[in-house]
Amino acid sequence: MEDHAKELGVMVAIIVPLALFAMIFGIVYLAKRERMAMIERGMDPRRYKPQSAPFQNLKWGLLLIGAGAGLFLAYLLDHTVFKHMAGEFDNDDNAAIYFSLIAIFGGIGLFLSYHIEKKEAEKDGKNKLEE
């Protein structure tokens, strides 16, 4: 068993740096290629900056808050409600509740983000019509 662990350690020590190098090389290569394509088309790459998404932070914040709330609720349920079922089931069989509640509450966070963005867009639309 120890021989397999040593071999795995050696493989990880070789593969991880190679993968990191390949990832960084790929990102730099694609960025340079994109700049060259813009120059070939007569565009100035310095003029085109990434578009800012004003609600991106809101979306990520609500998603992570929802996922955290789902994880916390799953933990509480697992250690209170499902603790009494330990005689029927092994206590480690409650992994599905963690994944499902993270997905449910994360989805609720994205749903709230959508409604907040929609409300702001409607408000901006009314303001533009009034001008």
Side-chain angles (χ1 to χ4, degrees):
M1 183 76 176
E2 285 185 28
D3 291 335
H4 293 295
K6 287 180 183 179
E7 290 175 5
L8 183 62
V10 170
M11 287 178 53
V12 167
I14 293 171
I15 291 174
V16 168
L18 286 176
L20 285 173
F21 173 77
M23 181 183 70
I24 292 170
F25 178 79
I27 290 170
V28 170
Y29 174 74
L30 289 174
K32 298 275 186 188
R33 193 167 158 194
E34 181 183 22
R35 283 180 56 89
M36 290 303 296
M38 290 176 80
I39 292 170
E40 287 175 1
R41 290 184 177 87
M43 301 165 73
D44 186 11
R46 290 173 284 175
R47 288 186 57 206
Y48 298 97
K49 295 180 182 172
Q51 299 277 336
S52 66
F55 292 106
Q56 193 68 27
N57 290 335
L58 172 70
K59 187 176 293 186
W60 276 103
L62 286 174
L63 175 66
L64 292 175
I65 287 170
L71 187 62
F72 181 67
L73 182 64
Y75 176 80
L76 288 177
L77 288 173
D78 190 24
H79 288 281
T80 57
V81 175
F82 298 121
K83 188 93 166 169
H84 302 295
M85 289 193 218
E88 279 182 50
F89 304 106
D90 186 17
N91 203 20
D92 294 334
D93 286 342
N94 295 331
I97 195 168
Y98 286 91
F99 291 111
S100 62
L101 286 176
I102 288 172
I104 289 169
F105 279 85
I108 290 171
L110 289 175
F111 188 71
L112 286 174
S113 172
Y114 168 76
H115 278 291
I116 292 170
E117 289 179 33
K118 185 178 173 185
K119 186 189 226 181
E120 285 294 318
E122 287 174 357
K123 188 168 65 171
D124 289 343
K126 287 180 184 177
N127 289 342
K128 287 181 183 177
L129 289 176
E130 291 173 0
E131 293 175 2

